[in-house]
Amino acid sequence: LYRKLSMGNNLAKDQDQLKNLNFTEDELQKLYKNFSKLDKDKSGTLEPEEFFDIPELANNPLVKRVIAVLDKNKDGCISFLEFVQGLNSLSAGSSQEEKLRFAF
């Protein structure tokens, strides 16, 4: 998986942060596969339009808020690391504080 994440300049930093999440290597590979399917333009990031192209999300008023929360560096796109960090915040292994921080 880590070889696939070679897009971007912070690969070593991203790898360290991925290792600190509540996901196994196998789970991260599955998440990356699904992330890549959503990444229609193969840019390595998810743009808001790619979320809105999903019929179930197209008219959901919460999608913009979720994108804003996931976009930690505020560049308008969601990287794989930002994506899994957001999912990690909601996972069973995360603390109540992490879940609240994600929500607000």
Side-chain angles (χ1 to χ4, degrees):
L1 172 70
Y2 301 119
R3 286 187 300 272
K4 293 178 185 175
L5 295 177
S6 60
M7 294 185 75
N9 301 331
N10 299 323
L11 181 59
K13 182 181 173 188
D14 288 358
Q15 287 178 353
D16 287 344
Q17 291 180 347
L18 286 172
K19 289 176 186 174
N20 293 326
L21 300 177
N22 298 319
F23 298 112
T24 65
E25 174 72 18
D26 188 51
E27 289 170 328
L28 284 171
Q29 288 180 356
K30 289 176 184 173
L31 287 169
Y32 185 78
K33 184 178 178 181
N34 289 326
F35 178 89
S36 296
K37 286 179 187 176
L38 295 175
D39 182 18
K40 299 292 185 197
D41 65 1
K42 304 301 176 205
S43 66
T45 60
L46 298 178
E47 290 79 27
E49 301 78 34
E50 290 170 318
F51 282 98
F52 292 117
D53 285 344
I54 301 167
E56 297 83 5
L57 300 180
N59 296 314
N60 188 323
L62 295 176
V63 173
K64 288 182 182 178
R65 173 68 181 138
V66 170
I67 293 169
V69 170
L70 291 175
D71 185 14
K72 295 290 185 194
N73 66 0
K74 305 299 179 210
D75 66 354
C77 302
I78 309 301
S79 69
F80 179 68
L81 180 61
E82 290 171 324
F83 182 74
V84 293
Q85 285 175 328
L87 293 176
N88 186 70
S89 296
L90 300 173
S91 73
S94 66
S95 70
Q96 188 71 19
E97 181 181 339
E98 286 177 302
K99 290 176 185 174
L100 288 172
R101 208 171 323 136
F102 179 83
F104 300 100

